[in-house]
Amino acid sequence: MSARIAHPAFASKVMSAEDAAALIPPGASIGFSGFTGSGYPKEIPGALAKRIKAAHERGEEFTIKAFTGASTAPELDGVLADTGGMAFRTPYQSDPHLRAKINDGTTNYCDIHLSHLQKLINMGFFGKMDFAVIEATAITEHGEIIPSSSVGNNRTYLDIAEKVIIEVNSWQADDLYGLHDIYYGMDIKPRREPIPISSPGDIIGRPTFKVDPSKVVAIVETDDPDRNTPFKPLDDDSRAIAAHLLDFFDMEVKAGRMPPTLWPLQSGVGNIANAVLAGLMDAPYEHMTSYTEVIQDGMVQLIDAGKIDVASATAFSLSPDMAHHMNDHARDYHGKIILRPQDVSNHPEVIRRQFVIATNGMIEADIYGNVNSTHIMGTKMMNGVGGSGDFARNAGYSIFVSPSLAKGGDISAIVPMVSHTDHTEHDVMVIITEQGLADLRGLAPRQRVNVVIDNCAHPDYREALHEYYDRALKVSQGRGIHTPHDLGQAFSWHQRFLETGSMKEFKA
Amino acid sequence: MSARIAHPAFASKVMSAEDAAALIPPGASIGFSGFTGSGYPKEIPGALAKRIKAAHERGEEFTIKAFTGASTAPELDGVLADTGGMAFRTPYQSDPHLRAKINDGTTNYCDIHLSHLQKLINMGFFGKMDFAVIEATAITEHGEIIPSSSVGNNRTYLDIAEKVIIEVNSWQADDLYGLHDIYYGMDIKPRREPIPISSPGDIIGRPTFKVDPSKVVAIVETDDPDRNTPFKPLDDDSRAIAAHLLDFFDMEVKAGRMPPTLWPLQSGVGNIANAVLAGLMDAPYEHMTSYTEVIQDGMVQLIDAGKIDVASATAFSLSPDMAHHMNDHARDYHGKIILRPQDVSNHPEVIRRQFVIATNGMIEADIYGNVNSTHIMGTKMMNGVGGSGDFARNAGYSIFVSPSLAKGGDISAIVPMVSHTDHTEHDVMVIITEQGLADLRGLAPRQRVNVVIDNCAHPDYREALHEYYDRALKVSQGRGIHTPHDLGQAFSWHQRFLETGSMKEFKA
């Protein structure tokens, strides 16, 4: 048995992933660890998937309800989705196999703001949770759980689940101990106290999770890497978007609306976020901070370069090389990187208090500044709203970014009307594409139109967007032109794409 | 001079409303007091309107930019809108004359979350504010301003405006002094402290506004009542909606998700809110509290009956009779009613911390639970989003209510797709009409459809809604059925109404 399982009461619970999965009955509600490809259980989901498949082959029903932190990895969402037995999933995902099951109607996907989940679970709305299946770095001699590379909803799942299964993953560095800040003040009760974070570096909790040892029914030892995705080289669009964003920061700092350290940064995951972080390396800002969901490579590099003093998040999302580096040097980042429960990383209270600069990706925006983050052509779920709404509505700055084109130019990210709204016109301050930046603050809807079209839409679509607006203004006369629309044509671009494969051939 | 102007430095500033208005030049940005028909300046706006009209008659340009707390009254929004010179208005309104100017394109209306305004103003995004025009109950001997019947954004306007004009209204009761809690911790700065409210009764500030006396350029004495609207008798729909809501509270209390005191109540203004408050009079809950925007008659009655211990808001919105009562007995309500700045009453931090039960009106909801609070047929601004988004996203419970029909049955409040989205599917937990209640918590979009249609839509429209969904499901097959839609028909009901005056004759 690994030295990482230091508490004697847990020794007798060590077993194989198969034996642990065998404890989970059909119909179980399971709270899994895992947030953006880190800290998810590596072996039990696969063993459970085999068990579900075997039951299906015998003609037996076997479904589960799956709760996580956010997206996980093929070893969890992928294998369980493939069984067709994942009847329910919340709160966020990005797995292609699971996406297929959500969009063919197999899996009921409850796509909610990450910060809402803890409240709904702790209020008991989702009913009892049967199992928590949580990856840990180690179990201390006092029976406390040292988190691994993500915190997510683990505190909640460990507290509320009737039975607990822990994967102790020796691939995770011992030195992660001390990097986490687990806050236990989130009870649902009258007179709850404020969350005492005024700055990303504030430590308000403890380094470990508590767990009732009598609930722990299995421990599984693993030695498996997080499924990290390699760092992609930056493309031109991402670099252009990052440059517009950095220009905007310059303007805001010069105008005195941002301090020279900037406000704490939040950013989504992926290419554009990496480009922004790369851009900040050469920007004049010093002593920056981050209050965000995930720590990407670029964030670690900014810390190494002394540009960022401290970054608060709920998970790592590193390339394999950077994950290796972090495993070797985790101790060097204590106090510089803080991983918190996602109900703290995403809490409106702390986001609003700190004037966080929230930068999130989008699928499309319309000429009035409404944003669709989730649905392709109005009906197909891509990933989910995730934490973007926690940040966008409550941030000091809410910024949405996307290349202006998709599908080789057949889709415009700027459309007459978004086919699904995740961020309303009241929540979107700035839109950026590689073409430029639209600053919508303080503008009435009609004033936003030219700014969005001329600054952000691809030139191939600008004329058609202006034509839509002119027609919308004409047909709305007398009916109210606060937000002109021609409802009969508002989705004509999306329909054209569905029918012809391109938004380009539009009706005049 | 009134004894209410106790500070000697202000004596020389007393003048007529006309003389005060003459100080305001064309192009001025003005922060007015006023929130839902209370505490707005009564005479200067009218005098300013005359000045603007006279300029227009002389062929001169004269526009102003108007900031308020929320809606005001005919004496402010009405008279200024009528001049055609209100070029800009934020953050909320409900005046028919102003609505007309917004919808004919005269007034650029920036419809934002009430809690966002202070941040944008204090960050300096709206540029300098030339004037604050604020109604007060009195000015103390130390030169502090005793608020009147609303607090709204007055602290911010008094702080930031270059010049200040105060209307001292002797109609407002002297005994309002001590009812207000003006918090001064909202500076835009790093390391801001938490707002230390854990319960609606917590007092965290001071009873008066501070003002730099050197900025005060005019004092106008008035003796004018707030434009309160009489209490309407409750109609059957409102009573039915209230009954469904109270049943829901019962269910939640029995399930242990709400304490027997309920969570603090927020509710919009109007008939349905009054019906809910009336229903609570006979409900079994004791020691209730309220954390909301406005104090309506029913709230005062619940306090009088000992059912509600304390109510926190930013303004009164009383009938003339109740306003009279409050003027006579204000002292009795000290500690039971607390009026705060709207950046505190609507702050996400305090709303989320207290698990507020947010109940707000809507124009329409769709079969997936998206809500339109602002736009008639997608283009015409009705009132605005107000504080509904501050509460809905951050509340413990977010509930939207409306009669199922409007315009004598020609409009269904439940539609295939909302024509404008103010509250996304991620923010709407419960929808109530007089028909019933749809509890959407934890449901995927397709699961919500029958609940919304069968519980909330009027029977006249149910079949057609099911038909829409069936067709949407069919055309979305293969494209993704997470949220089925037939984009070509999604607004067919709205178009039918625009063309024929009724949603009823729909295409099969």
Side-chain angles (χ1 to χ4, degrees), chain A residues 28-287:
Chain A
S29 285
I30 310 170
F32 290 105
S33 64
F35 197 107
T36 54
S38 60
Y40 56 93
K42 308 293 189 292
E43 300 192 8
I44 292 166
L48 178 59
K50 278 184 195 152
R51 187 164 139 69
I52 294 172
K53 273 188 180 165
H56 290 177
E57 278 161 17
R58 292 192 305 272
E60 295 165 19
E61 264 202 44
F62 198 140
T63 61
I64 57 156
K65 296 180 178 180
F67 300 70
T68 65
S71 58
T72 64
E75 295 94 326
L76 197 169
D77 278 325
V79 293
L80 286 169
D82 280 344
T83 67
M86 196 189 278
F88 174 87
R89 177 70 165 74
T90 202
Y92 181 81
Q93 63 81 39
S94 66
D95 182 86
H97 296 239
L98 177 51
R99 185 181 300 133
K101 296 296 182 189
I102 289 168
N103 286 302
D104 74 10
T106 304
T107 299
N108 282 318
Y109 176 45
C110 184
D111 175 28
I112 64 177
H113 302 297
L114 295 187
S115 78
H116 281 193
L117 185 58
Q118 178 263 341
K119 175 191 75 177
L120 288 169
I121 290 176
N122 275 100
M123 278 187 168
F125 179 75
F126 285 111
K128 73 182 175 70
M129 180 163 281
D130 302 298
F131 282 86
V133 179
I134 306 293
E135 180 181 276
T137 297
I139 301 171
T140 71
E141 57 189 324
H142 304 294
E144 293 179 349
I145 310 297
I146 300 175
S148 74
S149 47
S150 69
V151 175
N153 270 320
N154 296 356
R155 185 207 63 232
T156 299
Y157 298 149
L158 288 165
D159 279 356
I160 203 159
E162 303 207 333
K163 293 175 181 174
V164 170
I165 300 176
I166 296 170
E167 284 196 4
V168 176
N169 185 357
S170 53
W171 179 83
Q172 302 283 5
D174 263 326
D175 283 345
L176 287 178
Y177 177 67
L179 199 89
H180 309 89
D181 183 36
I182 313 302
Y183 180 63
Y184 271 85
M186 301 299 287
D187 292 347
I188 311 293
K189 63 175 188 185
R191 295 211 60 85
R192 192 159 83 174
E193 294 298 309
I195 299 173
I197 293 177
S198 289
S199 188
D202 292 348
I203 303 282
I204 63 170
R206 34 189 289 140
T208 56
F209 299 118
K210 298 182 268 191
V211 68
D212 173 356
S214 73
K215 299 204 302 186
V216 179
V217 295
I219 310 276
V220 174
E221 295 180 275
T222 66
D223 183 10
D224 300 313
D226 283 331
R227 176 68 72 111
N228 296 298
T229 43
F231 191 84
K232 286 183 200 158
L234 300 181
D235 58 50
D236 288 345
D237 280 355
S238 300
R239 261 195 289 256
I241 289 168
H244 296 310
L245 180 61
L246 292 169
D247 284 347
F248 178 73
F249 289 170
D250 284 348
M251 180 181 85
E252 294 298 297
V253 171
K254 285 204 184 88
R257 292 189 285 264
M258 285 189 194
T261 59
L262 307 183
W263 301 109
L265 299 160
Q266 176 261 340
S267 72
V269 188
N271 261 9
I272 297 173
N274 271 321
V276 170
L277 295 172
L280 286 169
M281 192 67 91
D282 304 316
Y285 316 119
E286 306 287 340
H287 299 296

